[in-house]
Amino acid sequence: MPAAAPTPKAVLHQRFGAKARYTVEEVREDMGGCPGLAPQTRSVYRCALDLPGLSVTTPGTFLRKKDAEQAAAQIALDKLGIQPATNIPSTPEEAWDELIARISGFLVDENFLSSSHPLVGHLSVTLRRTGDLIGRIPMSAVAACDMKVNTLCKVIDPKAEFDPLLILSLIYNAAKQSPGVFVSDNNFWIQSQKPYSLEAVDLALKRWSDMSDPIEVEAILVPCVLEDEPKTVRINLQHNEHYMGYIAAKLSVIDSSHVLVSRTIGKASSEIRLYFAAPNVQFVSDLSKNVLACHGDGNINCQVNKRASYISGQTIYGDAILANIGYTRRDSELHTEDVNLCTYYRILLGKLPDGNYKMSRDSILAAELPSVYSRSSWKGLCPRDLLCSFCRLQRLPEPHFAVSRVSASCEVVGSAASSEEREVPLKTVENQYTNDVRINKENPDMFKCKVKIYSRKQEILLEYSAADTSSKESDAIQNSALKVLIWFNNYFKQLNTKMDNPSLSECTHHFKVHLNNFMQEFAMCFSVYGKTGGNDSRMCSAVGPSSMDTPKQQLENSATLTHIEGPDSGVFPTHGSLTCISYTASLVMKDEAKIYLLESNNEFEFEIGTSAVSYQLESCVTQLSVNQTACFVAEPPPRDLILAAVTEFSHDLSKISRESCFLEFSVKVLQVTEPLEDRMEKALFSPPLSKQRVEFAVRHINELHATTLVDFGCGSGSLLDSLLEHSTTLEKIVGVDISRKGLTRAAKSLHQKLSKKSLMQTSVPSAVLYDGSITDYDSRLYGVDIGTCLEVIEHMEEDQASLFGNIVLSSFRPTVLIVSTPNYEYNPILQRSAMHKEDEPEENTGPCKFRNHDHKFEWTRAQFQCWATELAVKHNYGVEFCGVGGSGEEPGYASQIAVFRKMKRDQEEICLNNDHDQPYELLWEWPNA
Ligand code: SAH
Ligand code: MG
């Protein structure tokens, strides 16, 4: 692996992490062109960079986004006076010489003692000693403190990145050759041969303050044996002693020179590291003989600590201590922070594809990685950042995103490259809406994004090529990043539940998995998760939400709510609405009347229908209306998840067995923001579109003097409900739907209205609600006067929509059938208006894909008319087209409507009233039978 100098962006990333925010702006640049021809333009990029306390913008523009970002980063580095570590030697020999010189520089050059280098912190505590221990530090301290030493070791042997023992052996051998440096023969101490001058010592001691009081620091012991649980240990740091000595004592190691130190774990700024005993002391002589041959992979008679290795991405042997103690450039004294079980389990959780999402939402137990990305309703870290941090924490290279421009016309407009572009972007000409020319004029550019994940050895692990297109480049990246995260999430869930090898197929749904590379790379995860997962009675020991998932069907049928409190406010969460809840999750002990609060959240917002919370929680929330509260109980979450969630009583909870407790959720719905579709329908049309649809239906009912009506896909009964408020000729109204939840709401509100009406002695129609699929024929609804099917077909797959069309016209045979569905061509108008209404900072310029996540399709006028006309001809109906919302001129109505009319019978119809055809389940009836 060639060691390239870190890029300006990489240097900034080390310092600022996600706080460095790059905003790339696309600028169309005139390229001149031929007279008489349209002017030629191209895209160039300018980049603004925001850092805490500093903002810069590139003065010029760049052809590639990547270059614009690097230029902005360089400007920031110059302003901050940060010198990127350049001139890294490219050959192992050069690196070796530099390592020798560097170690010598640390110990022999007295000027170094006046620097703020953290190694001086280690030195100064030993300079307070007396006798020959003065200035004697463990070699691991050098490895822990100096990035450059680590980089040099990696150039000498790339394996050093993953192996603290190899780093130690390299430092040991380099130090032996460093002039003026004393190296012990049987220990890993390092020291200057000559004593330091008093002035130099004085300077060092002035800058690095003494520890005034003893400090107790909590740390976690991560046992090598997987069956032993990690536990808290307390390290007492005393005045004037080197902290690694105490860690050595905890690890039962002779002295701190035999303690090895991992890289930092977790956030870039953290000092959390794993400390462990150097395996096999006789190694000292081995280490000195031959630098590169000293370390063999399997021949160390000491066990690899799998958990610790998994956490750090380095090879860790034996029991290890996870502690946050060390000298840094930021402080002039020893930096200490407690590491408790919660920290440990959060580090573990952070390694999962959805772990950082949960933590960024401050909701480990309730939040799940949503299945859909939408810029306006996504909360927490965005998918792209999540995927990047997942790769970083798994120590994989950054994911590679390649965006391509997709055009519906045969000519490809151009191609855009993402900041990580490495290859010629593909030119794709497919588009879902190829049969519609107007759309393409409105929106010539759609984007797709490919993602590639590489192994540490830069071998390809996984490729994803997007199925869907997005109207913005950034959305394409987010969408694809989310798909990849979900893929990984499913893989990790498998690790957590299955004991045998997880099943992985090479090619599934736009994914290509390079099996051999993949299995090699994730072997460690497999051994960590596979070992303790499964039906362990002490709850599985790997983090994962697996046990909180129960098949959807099962939950829909089982009412888990204990009881609902508060009056029904009539405002309730529906599919696609943004719902804000407060909740607490507690662990209840079955026999000791004891309750542990695990997690609570006063304001947690999520979109219904995107799997953003567990099925149980969502099923609870959708049964409530605003201001109502309910409780439900569930299986306790996996042990690791509990311990990641709680900050207190982790000691008690780590001992609890799964059988002795259950999880109790208490939930209140605070606020509901209707789905974008509904918001747009309400905000942009007066009266609201749904009302216009009702009025449209009422006109036809009265025209026809209809007495019977069936609403196919009645949902929560909005049409049936409003019909009660109009005076019509109707005597019987029927609703059919497959959603129990919708039907239950419909029953509630119809019941309320009809009870009031009956008091006022008005005509009482009869009303019935059936649970059933409208693609099935039920003879009880044969030959009604009017059938309605409003905004339903787009929620079904296209073949199901056609099946419904055929069944309704061939079997149900209503005199009139009204079918409405969104007009796709109208979307750009909705989108533009939404932009003005809601001041969202970064709004779509093109049409959103669909108006609602649940829509399986949205048709243009031509598509809808083609569908309806074909059906009408086939079943001897006439059809007319109309709509609501807008004037009906280009590009048509917002909601398009087909009105089918049964042709005059030319022969007697056979009534299909057959008692066997009654698949619908009667759910509610008025008046009560
Ligand atoms: N017509 C209602 C609801 C529209 S939402 C209104 O205008 O407000 C779409 C509805 O179609 C949902 O309630 C969904 O449950 C229902 N649906 C989808 N597929 C169905 C099927 N195969 N059979 C019955 N209902 C279905
Ligand atoms: Mg809809």
Side-chain angles (χ1 to χ4, degrees):
M1 203 197 310
T7 61
K9 253 186 99 172
V11 175
L12 279 180
H13 184 81
Q14 278 230 320
R15 294 247 169 165
F16 297 99
K19 287 197 188 108
R21 297 178 61 92
Y22 296 83
T23 317
V24 178
E25 184 197 353
E26 184 179 327
V27 188
R28 296 304 292 189
E29 188 187 67
D30 199 346
M31 289 171 67
C34 299
L37 282 180
Q40 295 246 305
T41 62
R42 63 175 177 185
S43 285
V44 290
Y45 301 96
R46 173 183 295 140
C47 179
L49 167 59
D50 287 302
L51 295 168
L54 176 72
S55 296
V56 298
T57 308
T58 53
T61 55
F62 295 81
L63 270 176
R64 300 193 301 175
K65 285 188 158 186
K66 156 172 144 178
D67 295 337
E69 290 182 344
Q70 293 294 0
Q74 187 57 56
I75 296 169
L77 285 181
D78 293 345
K79 293 213 166 162
L80 292 167
I82 299 172
Q83 299 257 320
T86 45
N87 13 340
I88 287 166
S90 52
T91 68
E93 290 73 24
E94 282 168 21
W96 184 243
D97 292 340
E98 205 173 323
L99 182 62
I100 292 171
R102 194 162 179 90
I103 291 172
S104 185
F106 286 149
L107 294 168
V108 181
D109 181 2
E110 291 204 336
N111 289 329
F112 178 69
L113 285 185
S114 57
S115 76
S116 63
H117 196 287
L119 195 55
V120 186
H122 288 267
L123 272 169
S124 65
V125 67
T126 67
L127 291 174
R128 295 180 212 272
R129 292 171 175 163
T130 50
D132 53 359
L133 290 176
I134 294 180
R136 175 186 279 196
I137 54 169
M139 283 177 192
S140 291
V142 179
C145 282
D146 195 59
M147 278 298 292
K148 185 76 182 270
V149 163
N150 283 278
T151 310
L152 292 171
C153 288
K154 273 185 252 170
V155 178
I156 298 165
D157 186 343
K159 282 203 278 315
E161 182 166 6
F162 310 111
D163 193 347
L165 181 62
L166 179 55
I167 292 183
L168 180 75
S169 89
L170 293 171
I171 294 177
Y172 182 82
N173 286 284
K176 281 204 137 184
Q177 297 177 38
S178 292
V181 174
F182 169 78
V183 178
S184 154
D185 271 340
N186 25 22
N187 290 305
F188 304 108
W189 296 118
I190 190 171
Q191 192 176 4
S192 164
Q193 279 173 358
K194 266 202 301 201
Y196 297 115
S197 71
L198 286 177
E199 296 93 307
V201 172
D202 247 19
L203 271 176
L205 296 188
K206 247 184 222 143
R207 185 181 144 81
W208 293 91
S209 60
D210 193 3
M211 190 193 296
S212 39
D213 299 308
I215 304 173
E216 189 189 76
V217 187
E218 268 183 37
I220 295 293
L221 177 75
V222 185
C224 187
V225 178
L226 278 176
E227 286 70 30
D228 293 348
E229 295 300 340
K231 62 165 195 243
T232 308
V233 291
R234 283 166 220 284
I235 299 170
N236 288 295
L237 304 174
Q238 301 284 330
H239 182 63
N240 270 1
E241 266 309 323
H242 186 231
Y243 72 90
M244 283 175 64
Y246 298 104
I247 293 179
K250 287 280 169 202
L251 287 167
S252 318
V253 179
I254 334 157
D255 61 49
S256 60
S257 83
H258 289 269
V259 173
L260 286 176
V261 186
S262 79
R263 61 200 285 278
T264 57
I265 290 162
K267 289 184 219 103
S269 60
S270 108
E271 271 303 306
I272 303 183
R273 296 169 189 272
L274 282 156
Y275 295 85
F276 59 103
N280 218 337
V281 188
Q282 289 91 288
F283 254 78
V284 176
S285 49
D286 296 346
L287 291 184
S288 62
K289 272 186 216 134
N290 187 330
V291 178
L292 298 177
C294 69
H295 179 70
D297 277 316
N299 54 7
I300 292 168
N301 51 1
C302 190
Q303 282 278 308
V304 169
N305 185 325
K306 287 184 174 165
R307 272 182 297 214
S309 303
Y310 172 68
I311 285 176
S312 63
Q314 291 182 315
T315 312
I316 309 288
Y317 299 97
D319 291 348
I321 283 182
L322 185 73
N324 191 347
I325 309 175
Y327 294 96
T328 68
R329 280 181 194 274
R330 296 183 302 271
D331 315 292
S332 57
E333 56 190 8
L334 185 65
H335 167 89
T336 63
E337 233 174 279
D338 287 342
V339 173
N340 49 31
L341 280 173
C342 178
T343 326
Y344 169 80
Y345 284 103
R346 285 188 184 207
I347 289 172
L348 215 52
L349 179 62
K351 297 205 61 149
L352 292 181
D354 61 350
N356 281 307
Y357 177 75
K358 285 165 170 279
M359 289 190 275
S360 74
R361 298 228 50 195
D362 233 343
S363 170
I364 288 172
L365 298 177
E368 302 279 344
L369 187 64
S371 56
V372 222
Y373 172 78
S374 118
R375 200 177 325 129
S376 53
S377 56
W378 185 269
K379 311 277 167 198
L381 277 178
C382 69
R384 182 202 168 125
D385 290 357
L386 288 169
L387 186 61
C388 290
S389 69
F390 170 71
C391 288
R392 214 172 294 135
L393 288 164
Q394 290 292 340
R395 309 218 55 204
L396 303 174
E398 290 281 299
H400 170 234
F401 298 100
V403 181
S404 58
R405 206 176 282 241
V406 174
S407 175
S409 59
C410 289
E411 226 178 308
V412 174
V413 181
S415 49
S418 82
S419 48
E420 281 90 7
E421 186 54 61
R422 276 190 219 163
E423 56 171 28
V424 182
L426 38 147
K427 301 193 169 185
T428 326
V429 286
E430 47 184 285
N431 184 305
Q432 266 189 283
Y433 315 106
T434 32
N435 51 357
D436 192 84
V437 184
R438 283 172 300 258
I439 298 285
N440 304 327
K441 271 190 199 147
E442 276 284 344
N443 178 45
D445 299 334
M446 294 294 276
F447 298 92
K448 274 191 172 192
C449 177
K450 269 194 169 195
V451 184
K452 289 184 185 165
I453 307 289
Y454 292 90
S455 73
R456 298 179 218 187
K457 294 183 207 151
Q458 302 288 340
E459 293 164 337
I460 180 93
L461 296 177
L462 185 74
E463 288 172 82
Y464 170 71
S465 36
D468 302 327
T469 55
S470 309
S471 57
K472 284 200 93 176
E473 199 178 333
S474 58
D475 287 351
I477 295 176
Q478 301 291 5
N479 280 320
S480 293
L482 180 59
K483 290 286 184 324
V484 175
L485 275 170
I486 291 172
W487 189 92
F488 271 110
N489 212 22
N490 291 334
Y491 175 75
F492 273 74
K493 274 191 194 171
Q494 277 191 33
L495 291 183
N496 201 13
T497 47
K498 289 199 185 137
M499 302 292 273
D500 357 315
N501 260 1
S503 66
L504 267 179
S505 41
E506 283 186 56
C507 272
T508 40
H509 298 295
H510 312 282
F511 282 96
K512 188 162 194 293
V513 187
H514 299 259
L515 274 180
N516 282 341
N517 300 347
F518 193 91
M519 293 316 284
Q520 246 177 336
E521 192 68 33
F522 285 91
M524 187 63 90
C525 299
F526 182 57
S527 60
V528 171
Y529 288 97
K531 188 105 179 182
T532 45
N535 40 16
D536 176 4
S537 65
R538 301 175 58 217
M539 295 194 222
C540 63
S541 192
V543 174
S546 50
S547 76
M548 294 183 75
D549 279 329
T550 320
K552 193 174 184 176
Q553 210 53 50
Q554 217 174 308
L555 280 158
E556 289 233 324
N557 298 338
S558 69
T560 41
L561 296 196
T562 43
H563 64 284
I564 299 178
E565 266 175 44
D568 187 349
S569 59
V571 184
F572 51 84
T574 53
H575 204 96
S577 62
L578 260 187
T579 302
C580 186
I581 61 168
S582 66
Y583 70 83
T584 60
S586 317
L587 204 61
V588 183
M589 300 296 110
K590 283 177 188 160
D591 21 63
E592 314 157 53
K594 212 166 182 186
I595 296 181
Y596 296 98
L597 175 66
L598 299 183
E599 181 173 287
S600 72
N601 215 316
N602 290 330
E603 237 182 61
F604 181 79
E605 204 175 20
F606 67 99
E607 184 174 341
I608 305 275
T610 60
S611 327
V613 293
S614 70
Y615 284 129
Q616 283 145 305
L617 182 52
E618 179 155 321
S619 139
C620 167
V621 168
T622 51
Q623 292 176 58
L624 302 179
S625 61
V626 170
N627 285 328
Q628 284 187 321
T629 318
C631 280
F632 70 92
V633 299
E635 291 258 287
R639 181 175 175 280
D640 293 12
L641 219 51
I642 295 179
L643 294 174
V646 294
T647 47
E648 291 171 89
F649 2 90
S650 40
H651 185 71
D652 291 6
L653 290 171
S654 63
K655 297 199 180 89
I656 284 168
S657 91
R658 201 186 173 80
E659 287 77 35
S660 63
C661 57
F662 57 84
L663 185 68
E664 187 180 83
F665 261 99
S666 157
V667 187
K668 179 172 189 183
V669 176
L670 302 175
Q671 203 194 346
V672 173
T673 313
E674 289 175 313
L676 186 62
E677 179 181 30
D678 298 6
R679 266 180 284 159
M680 287 192 298
E681 289 201 352
K682 277 214 180 115
L684 305 177
F685 300 99
S686 159
L689 268 197
S690 57
K691 199 147 184 232
Q692 292 192 36
R693 276 192 287 266
V694 173
E695 273 156 18
F696 186 90
V698 168
R699 273 205 302 279
H700 280 85
I701 292 163
N702 290 337
E703 232 174 78
L704 200 72
H705 300 289
T707 56
T708 47
L709 174 140
V710 178
D711 190 20
F712 294 100
C714 62
S716 39
S718 62
L719 173 70
L720 301 177
D721 207 64
S722 341
L723 285 178
L724 296 181
E725 280 164 14
H726 287 80
S727 57
T728 62
T729 49
L730 287 173
E731 284 162 17
K732 177 170 185 176
I733 56 175
V734 180
V736 186
D737 206 290
I738 36 165
S739 160
R740 278 268 170 161
K741 257 175 241 156
L743 289 167
T744 311
R745 292 200 186 276
K748 268 192 207 162
S749 73
L750 286 176
H751 187 92
Q752 251 178 9
K753 276 231 171 85
L754 286 165
S755 317
K756 275 188 207 150
K757 296 246 171 197
S758 66
L759 283 177
M760 297 187 294
Q761 303 292 313
T762 47
S763 76
V764 184
S766 69
V768 181
L769 293 174
Y770 288 117
D771 182 349
S773 171
I774 57 172
T775 51
D776 291 332
Y777 171 62
D778 190 295
S779 59
R780 286 169 289 188
L781 304 181
Y782 171 79
V784 294
D785 293 334
I786 196 156
T788 50
C789 182
L790 306 182
E791 308 295 292
V792 174
I793 55 170
E794 72 277 6
H795 293 264
M796 310 162 78
E797 297 297 342
E798 287 199 33
D799 61 331
Q800 293 295 300
S802 293
L803 180 59
F804 162 70
N806 280 311
I807 296 276
V808 71
L809 296 186
S810 70
S811 304
F812 286 107
R813 293 200 63 79
T815 312
V816 166
L817 174 73
I818 300 174
V819 178
S820 86
T821 193
N823 169 13
Y824 182 74
E825 295 164 79
Y826 202 85
N827 286 6
I829 297 177
L830 291 179
Q831 203 64 27
R832 270 198 298 274
S833 321
M835 206 173 12
H836 297 304
K837 287 253 150 62
E838 296 170 21
D839 257 344
E840 283 181 12
E842 209 193 336
E843 196 39 78
N844 262 341
T845 43
C848 61
K849 196 170 160 237
F850 292 145
R851 299 180 193 180
N852 183 317
H853 292 317
D854 196 46
H855 287 178
K856 305 295 186 298
F857 60 83
E858 280 178 10
W859 281 338
T860 60
R861 286 168 293 174
Q863 286 171 309
F864 182 55
Q865 289 174 14
C866 173
W867 177 84
T869 309
E870 209 173 283
L871 280 174
V873 169
K874 195 161 150 193
H875 301 291
N876 205 22
Y877 272 75
V879 64
E880 281 164 29
F881 296 96
C882 192
V884 293
S887 63
E889 283 157 26
E890 275 304 310
Y893 292 104
S895 189
Q896 46 186 341
I897 301 179
V899 182
F900 298 85
R901 250 176 254 275
K902 192 155 66 177
M903 301 286 217
K904 282 262 157 346
R905 275 181 251 166
D906 40 13
Q907 63 199 73
E908 253 331 283
E909 267 197 22
I910 321 123
C911 174
L912 293 167
N913 205 342
N914 181 339
D915 285 347
H916 297 300
D917 287 335
Q918 301 195 347
Y920 294 174
E921 190 187 334
L922 177 70
L923 194 95
W924 173 87
E925 198 173 4
W926 180 274
N928 277 339

